[in-house]
Amino acid sequence: MSEAIPLIELRAIRKCYGGGDTPEVEVLRGISLSIHAGEFVAIVGASGSGKSTLMNLLGCLDRPTSGEYLFAGLDVAGLGADALAWLRREAFGFVFQGYHLIPTESARENVEMPAIYAGLPDAERAARAISLLQRLGLGDRLDHRPSQLSGGQQQRVSIARALMNGGRIILADEPTGALDSRSGEEVMALLNALADAGHTILLITHDREVAAQARRIIEVRDGQVVADSQAAASGETSVSASIVNATPAAASLLGSPQQLVAAMQQGSSARPVFWSDLREACRAAWRVMTINRFRTALTLLGIVIGVAAVIVMLAVGNGAKRNILSQISMFGSKNLYLEPQGESALQNGGRISLDDVAAVREIPNVLAAMPYLEGFYTARYDNRDFRTEIGGVTVEFPLTINWNVARGSFFNTTDENSMAKVVLLGTSVKKALFPDEVDPLGKYVLLNNIPFQVIGLLAEKGAGRGQQDEDNRVVIPYSTASSQIFGSPYPNWVAITLDDPALMHETEQAVDQLMMARHHIKDYRLFNAASFIKGQAKASDTMSLLLGLIAVVSLLVGGIGIMNIMLMTVRERTREIGIRMATGARQRDIMRQFLTEAMLVSLVGGAVGVVLGLLIGGVLVVAGVPIIFSISAILGAFGSAMLAGLIFGYTPAKKAAQLDPVVALASE
């Protein structure tokens, strides 16, 4: 770069605060000055003179109200946020009076920060940070956090951070103000050594003794430059220039204005190394979560409850639906059912005769019509009694009810015509009366004190409607049941099996017309079992949806909790955000950091919620509640948790990214 072009040139720079509803205050009043590469400049002035505001403008942390700021000949006053971040990252290194180290990060991690935003590989930036800290006498303090370091040590960490990306220009704001005299001398010796190594040093101070060590002193008073003189070169320092990597003068590193513009455009638009940046963001987010364990746990609670509730509620709903749908196969999806019933609540139910059943069998598309007599009686074998349902059925029972025989055989037409005393046992009855016998066939049981020979065992059905045990029943010939057990020939209901289920509606109308013609009054009820059960299934779906919505509301509440906590986190960590911006973080870097924290909370909460949901489901299974876990429901619940983190974390992350660096650094 030509020496005719200053490294930094200010032309009539003004900075005002306020305006509108508040009075406007002018802090800088037309400051003009030039600083060349390699200079060691002290800007001195009393408190309130405007020197700190001037430093913020010089370091591209703030923008002037008017005037021109030329950096290597390029006007940067109107640059975008990412371009200014590039300048801060590549050209400047800040050393603050208050150190401005991130309290949750170690000394090494604080020093590495500028290199993270510059995209330096992990191993390379770790090696450089360790080398800098060792050269500054902090090799045994690499993993110490700021609270474990003295003031002088923290300031040396701050200097190492300023040098991490090369530190072409060091902006030191009252670097000795918070230090004892010995530590202050060490820091000034370091700055002198850096100046000797070719770095441009801009020292902001109110202490004229400190300023006297610079090679040029600029005095600011009431927002104006009142004096600018070359100071004599400082004498020998206690620390030699060898403690830092000697770098070429900033002028040669920055190149021509055209090269600077090209590098700035490339740097401000360059895509970060995604996985490296994401890993670093996750590491920092996890560190914050573990430090604030209690608050993190409270934030997780809403997500955990929401995810677990979604999984359990949908599993219960699916289990109930499965039970309902299983009844379709149990009672036949091709069936109509006919039962006696009054036309209104004031009428007594009519009777369905066996002649009615025979007439129904003649209707086209009717494959079978089976009358069914039922009632509860005590079954006895040896000294064991068991109350069970006795069903009087015909040989059409396996076809119409879709219920097969597991062992033995079903009775035949001869048994039915002869009123044979034979019985088939349901699984529950067999277990109650013959707990120790594998094969009860041929044995006799007493039904209503009448002996019946066991000729078969019904296949196991399980729970039916209302969780009723369908296997707690025995079936006997209809003729035997009507004459020997119930004393009535009239069935409780009739199962009508169709040949073609597609003609269900037409056949139902035909049966209805037949019964009206025979009874002349609607003293019966005719219903389609499949439609009835499907209606129940639809009701179950509605209930599952309602339960799912309740669970989603829980998840929504958890998401709102994430947003509230993240907004609080942004408020608490405003200074940290300012530090990250001062070290070169772009707006997207800040947004990624806080969005990653929200997503990590959702990730952990979602994972814990899935585990909790499965555990609760397991307990319900043990308790006998029908449960069907759905992979899609589990993935959906987990995905919803992640989506909640993304949606509700976006606003706090955006708010953090849009903070003004100067305001953020000044926050408590």
Side-chain angles (χ1 to χ4, degrees):
M1 183 175 64
S2 172
E3 292 186 2
I5 301 178
L7 179 61
I8 293 175
E9 184 177 4
L10 304 184
R11 296 177 181 175
I13 290 291
R14 294 181 179 274
K15 180 63 180 179
C16 301
Y17 293 102
D21 296 335
T22 58
E24 184 176 279
V25 178
E26 189 174 35
V27 180
L28 300 181
R29 305 175 181 179
I31 286 184
S32 298
L33 59 86
S34 298
I35 298 172
H36 288 269
E39 283 196 276
F40 185 175
V41 180
I43 299 175
V44 66
S47 297
S49 61
K51 62 183 186 301
S52 293
T53 301
L54 178 58
M55 188 209 74
N56 291 333
L57 291 173
L58 289 171
C60 297
L61 292 170
D62 204 358
R63 300 173 185 270
T65 303
S66 64
E68 290 182 303
Y69 175 4
L70 302 180
F71 187 90
L74 173 70
D75 188 357
V76 299
L79 290 178
D82 282 353
L84 291 176
W86 180 86
L87 261 183
R88 292 193 296 269
R89 183 169 64 250
E90 299 296 334
F92 293 98
F94 293 89
V95 180
F96 299 100
Q97 176 181 358
Y99 322 130
H100 285 349
L101 302 177
I102 296 178
T104 59
E105 304 286 273
S106 67
R108 179 181 57 80
E109 290 164 346
N110 269 283
V111 173
E112 285 184 23
M113 191 174 302
I116 291 173
Y117 300 125
L120 205 65
D122 298 0
E124 187 176 343
R125 70 170 182 253
R128 179 160 178 77
I130 292 171
S131 176
L132 286 169
L133 287 170
Q134 287 175 339
R135 293 178 181 183
L136 292 174
L138 295 174
D140 58 344
R141 295 287 190 273
L142 297 177
D143 296 320
H144 286 57
R145 292 184 183 173
S147 60
Q148 299 170 308
L149 302 174
S150 67
Q153 290 171 334
Q154 291 186 61
Q155 195 62 289
R156 278 186 277 169
V157 172
S158 179
I159 292 172
R161 182 180 62 192
L163 295 171
M164 186 65 189
N165 285 349
R168 298 173 176 85
I169 306 169
I170 303 295
L171 275 168
D173 182 16
E174 299 282 6
T176 63
L179 302 177
D180 56 48
S181 58
R182 180 179 177 182
S183 296
E185 290 174 1
E186 291 177 352
V187 168
M188 289 307 300
L190 285 171
L191 293 179
N192 273 289
L194 291 172
D196 292 340
H199 296 266
T200 302
I201 310 295
L202 302 181
L203 173 65
I204 311 295
T205 183
H206 69 280
D207 190 333
R208 292 186 179 275
E209 291 185 8
V210 172
Q213 299 183 52
R215 289 86 190 267
R216 176 184 174 191
I217 299 175
I218 297 174
E219 184 175 355
V220 177
R221 184 185 303 158
D222 296 329
Q224 295 178 317
V225 174
V226 296
D228 184 353
S229 62
Q230 293 290 334
S234 60
E236 292 297 321
T237 62
S238 60
V239 181
S240 70
S242 64
I243 62 171
V244 292
N245 286 328
T247 59
S252 63
L253 289 175
L254 291 168
S256 67
Q258 292 77 13
Q259 291 172 324
L260 174 66
V261 172
M264 185 183 303
Q265 290 174 342
Q266 182 179 3
S268 61
S269 63
R271 294 183 178 272
V273 181
F274 177 78
W275 291 114
S276 177
D277 285 1
L278 181 61
R279 183 170 59 253
E280 176 60 30
C282 287
R283 184 202 61 78
W286 183 256
R287 176 78 57 80
V288 172
M289 287 174 60
T290 54
I291 290 175
N292 301 295
R293 293 182 183 88
F294 184 70
R295 187 169 69 185
T296 300
L298 291 179
T299 308
L300 290 175
L301 192 59
I303 295 295
V304 170
I305 292 175
V307 171
V310 169
I311 292 172
V312 174
M313 294 296 188
L314 293 180
V316 170
N318 288 338
K321 184 177 179 180
R322 180 188 63 179
N323 272 1
I324 291 171
L325 294 178
S326 69
Q327 295 174 42
I328 295 179
S329 62
M330 182 184 297
F331 292 100
S333 60
K334 299 165 59 176
N335 283 3
L336 287 171
Y337 287 89
L338 179 66
E339 64 180 19
Q341 179 175 298
E343 191 172 38
S344 70
L346 299 177
Q347 293 177 327
N348 295 322
R351 291 178 173 177
I352 297 174
S353 67
L354 295 180
D355 290 338
D356 291 333
V357 176
V360 168
R361 287 194 183 101
E362 301 302 320
I363 295 176
N365 197 43
V366 171
L367 187 62
M370 184 201 71
Y372 193 104
L373 266 171
E374 61 185 352
F376 277 89
Y377 288 86
T378 299
R380 179 177 298 165
Y381 175 77
D382 198 10
N383 60 349
R384 300 185 188 94
D385 290 344
F386 187 69
R387 187 166 178 78
T388 184
E389 179 182 315
I390 297 178
V393 301
T394 67
V395 293
E396 297 164 308
F397 177 83
L399 172 65
T400 56
I401 305 300
N402 191 27
W403 203 333
N404 297 320
V405 178
R407 291 178 63 85
S409 60
F410 206 79
F411 54 80
N412 54 35
T413 305
T414 301
D415 294 326
E416 188 173 342
N417 292 337
S418 64
M419 294 184 290
K421 296 181 179 62
V422 292
V423 63
L424 289 93
L425 307 181
T427 302
S428 297
V429 182
K430 185 268 175 187
K431 290 178 181 178
L433 298 182
F434 302 94
D436 302 323
E437 298 186 37
V438 177
D439 190 358
L441 299 183
K443 303 292 178 63
Y444 283 84
V445 298
L446 296 179
L447 302 178
N448 198 24
N449 292 322
I450 300 173
F452 281 77
Q453 185 180 25
V454 179
I455 64 170
L457 299 178
L458 295 174
E460 186 173 1
K461 281 286 187 179
R465 288 174 291 180
Q467 302 303 306
Q468 176 184 340
D469 183 8
E470 296 294 335
D471 294 314
N472 181 20
R473 75 175 66 218
V474 300
V475 295
I476 60 177
Y478 189 90
S479 58
T480 309
S482 63
S483 61
Q484 302 294 322
I485 303 295
F486 299 105
S488 170
Y490 301 107
N492 296 92
W493 48 272
V494 180
I496 305 169
T497 302
L498 309 188
D499 185 26
D500 184 358
L503 301 176
M504 177 74 73
H505 181 67
E506 293 83 351
T507 307
E508 185 174 356
Q509 287 183 325
V511 173
D512 188 39
Q513 291 172 0
L514 172 68
M515 293 299 295
M516 282 297 295
R518 292 179 64 87
H519 287 222
H520 308 294
I521 187 173
K522 200 173 183 70
D523 58 352
Y524 59 89
R525 184 167 77 101
L526 184 65
F527 63 92
N528 180 343
S531 298
F532 175 73
I533 296 175
K534 285 178 181 177
Q536 288 184 306
K538 185 177 181 181
S540 176
D541 286 341
T542 303
M543 182 60 67
S544 296
L545 178 62
L546 178 61
L547 295 175
L549 288 175
I550 293 173
V552 168
V553 169
S554 301
L555 203 56
L556 183 65
V557 171
I560 294 173
I562 289 178
M563 183 167 67
N564 288 336
I565 292 299
M566 291 306 300
L567 286 172
M568 184 185 303
T569 299
V570 170
R571 190 178 302 114
E572 291 176 348
R573 295 164 59 191
T574 300
R575 177 175 289 182
E576 176 189 329
I577 296 168
I579 295 170
R580 291 181 182 274
M581 289 180 169
T583 55
R586 293 153 292 201
Q587 288 188 342
R588 64 173 177 262
D589 295 321
I590 300 298
M591 176 168 282
R592 182 191 303 111
Q593 177 64 51
F594 284 88
L595 200 56
T596 299
E597 291 186 19
M599 294 290 287
L600 190 58
V601 169
S602 298
L603 175 66
V604 175
V608 174
V610 169
V611 173
L612 180 62
L614 294 175
L615 289 176
I616 293 174
V619 171
L620 293 176
V621 169
V622 172
V625 177
I627 291 285
I628 296 181
F629 287 112
S630 168
I631 296 297
S632 60
I634 294 173
L635 294 178
F638 184 79
S640 297
M642 296 300 294
L643 186 62
L646 179 63
I647 293 174
F648 291 99
Y650 177 78
T651 297
K654 185 177 181 181
K655 180 180 178 182
Q658 292 178 339
L659 285 175
D660 186 290
V662 173
V663 175
L665 282 169
S667 69
E668 296 296 333

